[in-house]
Amino acid sequence: MVAPPSATISGEVVMLLGYIIPATITFTGSPPYTFTYTDGVTPVTVSNITQNPYLLPLSPTNNTIYTLVEMNNNSCEGTVSGSASYIVIIPTETNDLCQNALPFPDLTIGVESCVNGTTNGALAELPFINQSSCGNQNVPTPAVDVWYTFTAVANIADISLTFDMDTAVVAIYEGTCEGLIGRYCDISYDGTLNTTFAPADPGATYFIQVSGGSPTDQGNFTLCVDNYGESIDEICIFGQSLTAIPSPVLGTYGPNQAVTFCLTVDGYNANAVDWLHGIVPEFGSGWDVSTITGTISPPTCESGNGYWAWYNTMINGTGDNSPGPVGPGFFFEKTPGENNPANNFGDSGDDGCPWTFCFTISTVASCPPGVDGDNLTVEFQNYSDSESGSWNAPTSICPEDPNFVFKARLSCCPIPQMVGVFPSCASPTSGTVTATPSGGTAPFEIKWSTGDSVVINNGNSVIDSLSEGFYIVTITDNSGCVSEASFTLINNGSGLPITATEDAAICPGDEIQLQVTGDDIVEYLWYPSSSLNNNTIANPIATPTTSTEYFVIVTDDNGCTAYEQVLIAVLDPPTPYAGPNKQICPGSSTVLNASGGVSYAWSPTTGLSNPNIANPVANPTQTTVYTVTATGVNGCTATSQVSVVVVPEPFFPLEDIDTTVCTGQTVQFPLSDINFISNYNYQWLPTTGLSNPNIPNPIATITDDITYTIIVNNNYGCQTIRTITIDVQAEPLSVNLGADTLIC
C-alpha cells in the first residue's frame, strides 16, 4: 500500500503593502500536485505543480493567515497541514513623493522581483523631473504618480509593468530626491510595458516613477524588476555611474550654466576578444559644445606605457566592428607619441580597476523662448578596440553594450525653489508651500493653482492652511519671463514622532530589550512575535536565533498610527576546537591546544598551569573532561571539550617480595595466577637462569643470590616495576650413622 501524499504550508512574513512574498509548500508523494489554499474567505486552486518545495507568491492587502484546504497528486487524495502568517505594514506616508518611495524587495541576480501597486488616490503633479521625452513622446503632464526605489545588484535591469490605466509611464532616476538625475523612461498605452534599463551600477540606488496619462487616469499595476548582467555573454562594461555638479533643478538647467560631468566605469569584462578603447559624450541641442574644458583622463589599468587622452578630432577605427568616425572624446593610445588611437588596442583593465572621465561644458548662452525646453541630454557612448581601435573581433558582444544617458532640459526662465510642510493625521490642514524665485528681475507676479485648476490668486510666495494636494506656482518676472513649478503635499501619516531602538547586534543565545517611545501612544504591536516575550508592549525582550527585522506599529489616542523597524543581527559565534583527546600516565602531563578564538578560558582549572591561555599544561590526577570557552573577534563565545584520560598503571598485583632457595633449585615464581595480557610488555632483568624473560611467570634456576626486576609496560607507555630478591642457602651437611641400634 502506498502512503497518501501530503502538503504543508509554512511562513511567517512581515511585509510592506504591495510586496509579493512567497509562502513555502512542501509535499510528500510523487508529482504532479494539485492543492487548494485559502485566506479564510476565498479558496484558490493551483494545479500541475512539479516543484518541491513550491514557492506560492502571495500579496495580501491586510493581515492574513493562509491555510491549505485539500490536495492530491492525481493518484490519491492527500492530507494538508500548516499555516502561513502574513503581517502587512501599511505605510503611514503614501509613496506619492520621491522622498516616500517604497523600497523594492531585495534583488537577487537573475531572479525577478515584483510589487503590486496602485495610483488610485494618488495626487496629480507635474513630472518631478522632465526627461525631455520618452521614446520621442512627451511625458503626460500633469499626471498622478507613485514612487519606488531599488538597489542594483547587476548591470542590466529588465522592467515590466502590467496595468489597467489608459496610459502608463515608467521613469528611472539616480541621485537623491533633492537632486535627481533622469536616466530613462518609457511609455505604453496597451496594458503592458516591457523595457530594459542599462547600464545600472551594482550597489547604486535608483528611483522608479510610475505615472498615468492625466490626473484622472488612475489604476492598479504590477511592477517587476529582473536585474542581471555579469558574464561576458551578457555585457562587457561594468558599473557606469555619473556625477553632475551642480545637479539639475527639477530636471532643468538655465542658460549659460557650466556643469562638470564625471563618468566612472567600474571595470571591463576583459577577455581575448575586446578591451575598452573610447568614451565619447554626445550632447543634446541645448549644450554649447564649443565650451568643453577641463577634460580629465584616467590613468591606465594596464602595465605598459599606454595612456588615456581627450581628442578633439574624429577617430576612425579599423577593427571589424568600426562604426565609422567617432568623437571628440576620450580614447586610449597604446604607443606614446603615435597620436593615433585608431591604430591601437584598448586598455586591458578588468573589474576592480575603475576609470573616471571628467569634463566641463556650458548650456547655450542665449535662451530665447523658441529654445525653452531644449534637450540637455548627454549620452556617453562607449567603444571597444574592435570599434574605435584596430582589433579584429567579429564575434564580440561589446559593441552592444549600453550607453549611459543623462537627461535634463533647458529652462530659459529660472525655476523657483519649492519647500513645504506636510499636514498630518492630527492636523490635516496644517500644510504650507513656499516658492522662492531663483533668478529673474523683480518685482515678481506670483499665482497659485491646484492640480484641478482651482486658482489661488493670493500673490504671496507662501500659501498655508493646506490639506494634502497638488499645488502649482506660476512666477512672472518684470521682463515677462514665466516659470512654473509644483509641490505635492501629502498627509505625512500620524504626525506622531516615534523613536525605536537603534539597529543592534547580539551573540547567539543572548537577549536584547527593544523599545519604542512617543507621545500619547495607547497601542503597540511588534512583529514577528515568535522570538518576543510580549509583542503588545513598548519594550519587549527579543531572543532571535537568526538575524531578524522587527516591525512595531503604534497607535496614539487620536487613532493615528506610525511604524518603525529595528534590525537585530545575530552574529556568528566562533568555532573553537579544544584539540584531540589525550591519554597520560599517572603523574605525567600533556599540553592542551585550543584554536578558533582570540581568547580562551578553561574549566575546571584543576591540574592546569594557566586556565586563560590557548595551550595550558594539564596534569590531572584522574580522568578529566576540560571545557574551553573561546571568545571570537566579535565578542561572541562558544565551547569545545577535550578529555584527558589518566591511564592506570599496568596491572601486576604483587608487591616486591623476598624468598630463599637452595643452590641449584629450580623455582617457579609464585605468580601462577597472573595471566599474560597481550597489550602488556613484560621484561625481567637480569635474564640469568630464566626460562623466558618476557612472560609474567617464568621458571628460574637459582645458583647464587639474585634480585630480579620485572618491568611491565602498557601500550600508553605507562609502566609498573616490581622486584623479587632470592637468597641462596648452602645445602645442609648429610651424615650417615648407620642403622638404629638398641643397647642396654
Side-chain angles (χ1 to χ4, degrees):
M1 177 180 292
V2 177
S6 67
T8 301
I9 186 171
S10 61
E12 184 180 13
V13 177
V14 180
M15 55 178 277
L16 288 174
L17 179 67
Y19 275 20
I20 302 173
I21 306 294
T24 300
I25 300 180
T26 54
F27 302 97
T28 64
S30 58
Y33 310 104
T34 296
F35 65 89
T36 300
Y37 71 93
T38 180
D39 59 2
V41 178
T42 305
V44 179
T45 298
V46 181
S47 302
N48 296 319
I49 299 301
T50 58
Q51 304 99 306
N52 187 12
Y54 174 69
L55 299 180
L56 175 66
L58 297 171
S59 184
T61 57
N62 48 44
N63 297 348
T64 303
I65 296 178
Y66 293 93
T67 57
L68 298 177
V69 177
E70 59 184 8
M71 71 85 61
N72 66 74
N73 65 350
N74 292 343
S75 298
C76 302
E77 295 294 325
T79 60
V80 296
S81 61
S83 64
S85 173
Y86 280 67
I87 303 302
V88 179
I89 303 294
I90 300 176
T92 55
E93 301 177 356
T94 65
N95 57 329
D96 215 343
L97 296 176
C98 172
Q99 289 87 342
N100 293 337
L102 289 179
F104 228 79
D106 291 342
L107 300 182
T108 301
I109 293 176
V111 178
E112 186 177 66
S113 183
C114 302
V115 295
N116 291 325
T118 183
T119 57
N120 289 320
L123 299 171
E125 62 175 328
L126 302 175
F128 192 88
I129 299 292
N130 190 324
Q131 297 211 53
S132 299
S133 64
C134 290
N136 296 319
Q137 302 179 71
N138 291 328
V139 178
T141 181
V144 293
D145 67 348
V146 290
W147 292 78
Y148 295 89
T149 183
F150 71 91
T151 299
V153 294
N155 294 274
I156 303 171
D158 285 346
I159 297 174
S160 64
L161 187 79
T162 57
F163 58 92
D164 60 14
M165 298 95 77
D166 294 332
T167 301
V169 180
V170 169
I172 298 176
Y173 310 88
E174 68 177 51
T176 65
C177 291
E178 292 72 26
L180 288 176
I181 295 175
R183 286 291 310 278
Y184 182 79
C185 63
D186 204 351
I187 189 168
S188 176
Y189 305 96
D190 62 4
T192 60
L193 186 155
N194 295 291
T195 191
T196 297
F197 164 62
D201 185 14
T205 297
Y206 296 91
F207 295 90
I208 301 179
Q209 179 190 39
V210 179
S211 58
S214 70
T216 58
D217 185 12
Q218 304 179 13
N220 301 314
F221 60 83
T222 298
L223 175 67
C224 298
V225 176
D226 185 2
N227 202 191
Y228 62 96
E230 293 293 300
S231 74
I232 190 60
D233 296 326
E234 298 169 320
I235 198 168
C236 293
I237 196 166
F238 285 147
Q240 300 178 68
S241 58
L242 182 74
T243 59
I245 302 174
S247 298
V249 178
L250 296 180
T252 69
Y253 288 116
N256 202 31
Q257 171 71 65
V259 182
T260 298
F261 292 98
C262 286
L263 177 76
T264 296
V265 177
D266 287 342
Y268 206 73
N269 213 337
N271 58 88
V273 178
D274 261 335
W275 292 339
L276 183 64
H277 186 260
I279 296 291
V280 175
E282 293 288 333
F283 300 99
S285 58
W287 296 104
D288 183 352
V289 295
S290 68
T291 63
I292 295 177
T293 59
T295 58
I296 300 176
S297 303
T300 179
C301 287
E302 69 161 21
S303 58
N305 296 320
Y307 59 91
W308 287 91
W310 174 270
Y311 288 82
N312 282 313
T313 57
M314 303 293 284
I315 304 301
N316 190 6
T318 60
D320 286 335
N321 300 304
S322 174
V326 295
F330 298 95
F331 294 95
F332 186 71
E333 175 64 68
K334 188 79 171 177
T335 306
E338 186 177 74
N339 202 32
N340 182 17
N343 190 35
N344 281 283
F345 301 151
D347 193 357
S348 57
D350 55 15
D351 192 15
C353 180
W355 300 276
T356 298
F357 307 88
C358 298
F359 61 87
T360 299
I361 187 172
S362 296
T363 59
V364 294
S366 177
C367 191
V371 297
D372 192 42
D374 259 15
N375 186 0
L376 292 180
T377 293
V378 182
E379 181 173 352
F380 293 84
Q381 299 176 345
N382 62 85
Y383 294 101
S384 66
D385 51 11
S386 70
E387 297 173 276
S388 55
S390 59
W391 180 245
N392 290 318
T395 61
S396 173
I397 68 161
C398 299
E400 301 174 9
D401 276 358
N403 297 323
F404 190 103
V405 178
F406 167 88
K407 303 181 79 172
R409 65 181 178 87
L410 184 67
S411 177
C412 292
C413 299
I415 300 296
Q417 299 287 338
M418 307 291 290
V419 295
V421 175
F422 295 148
S424 67
C425 169
S427 302
T429 59
S430 59
T432 65
V433 179
T434 301
T436 304
S438 59
T441 305
F444 300 96
E445 180 185 71
I446 300 176
K447 293 183 179 181
W448 292 90
S449 64
T450 65
D452 53 9
S453 300
V454 175
V455 177
I456 311 171
N457 283 315
N458 67 349
N460 297 324
S461 60
V462 180
I463 52 175
D464 56 17
S465 301
L466 303 175
S467 59
E468 65 176 16
F470 171 57
Y471 299 91
I472 300 173
V473 66
T474 303
I475 297 181
T476 305
D477 74 358
N478 196 45
S479 66
C481 204
V482 180
S483 60
E484 189 176 70
S486 66
F487 197 90
T488 301
L489 289 179
I490 64 169
N491 189 317
N492 72 346
S494 65
L496 170 63
I498 62 174
T499 302
T501 306
E502 293 186 359
D503 294 348
I506 63 173
C507 295
D510 287 352
E511 64 181 32
I512 186 171
Q513 186 167 44
L514 308 180
Q515 179 78 44
V516 63
T517 58
D519 294 334
D520 304 319
I521 298 175
V522 296
E523 183 178 293
Y524 304 88
L525 206 54
W526 293 84
Y527 293 100
S529 60
S530 58
S531 56
L532 300 176
N533 68 327
N534 188 332
N535 75 323
T536 59
I537 60 176
N539 52 352
I541 302 296
T543 54
T545 57
T546 59
S547 295
T548 303
E549 187 168 44
Y550 293 96
F551 289 79
V552 58
I553 307 171
V554 301
T555 305
D556 68 8
D557 54 8
N558 290 317
C560 300
T561 62
Y563 80 94
E564 271 289 0
Q565 54 204 79
V566 180
L567 175 63
I568 303 300
V570 179
L571 301 173
D572 292 329
T575 54
Y577 177 53
N581 292 332
K582 308 270 191 174
Q583 296 85 30
I584 64 172
C585 300
S588 298
S589 64
T590 186
V591 176
L592 306 182
N593 195 0
S595 60
V598 295
S599 64
Y600 304 91
W602 293 87
S603 66
T605 61
T606 304
L608 297 181
S609 62
N610 187 338
N612 297 313
I613 61 175
N615 51 354
V617 175
N619 59 348
T621 58
Q622 60 185 8
T623 297
T624 303
V625 176
Y626 289 102
T627 299
V628 63
T629 300
T631 302
V633 293
N634 57 16
C636 296
T637 61
T639 62
S640 180
Q641 291 184 326
V642 61
S643 294
V644 178
V645 177
V646 180
V647 179
E649 291 180 341
F651 176 73
F652 204 83
L654 298 181
E655 298 299 325
D656 297 343
I657 60 175
D658 296 325
T659 188
T660 301
V661 298
C662 296
T663 302
Q665 183 177 349
T666 298
V667 177
Q668 171 79 50
F669 285 166
L671 306 174
S672 58
D673 59 342
I674 300 177
N675 296 319
F676 179 83
I677 299 176
S678 61
N679 62 348
Y680 281 11
N681 177 268
Y682 300 92
Q683 185 177 17
W684 289 89
L685 294 173
T687 62
T688 305
L690 297 181
S691 62
N692 187 339
N694 300 120
I695 62 176
N697 47 3
I699 296 174
T701 300
I702 309 301
T703 59
D704 294 298
D705 293 348
I706 192 168
T707 297
Y708 287 103
T709 299
I710 182 170
I711 303 172
V712 185
N713 289 281
N714 61 20
N715 57 351
Y716 298 108
C718 304
Q719 65 181 213
T720 296
I721 300 175
R722 298 286 187 268
T723 62
I724 297 178
T725 299
I726 301 176
D727 294 327
V728 176
Q729 189 174 40
E731 187 175 331
L733 177 63
S734 177
V735 178
N736 185 358
L737 299 178
D740 293 344
T741 299
L742 178 65
I743 64 173
C744 296

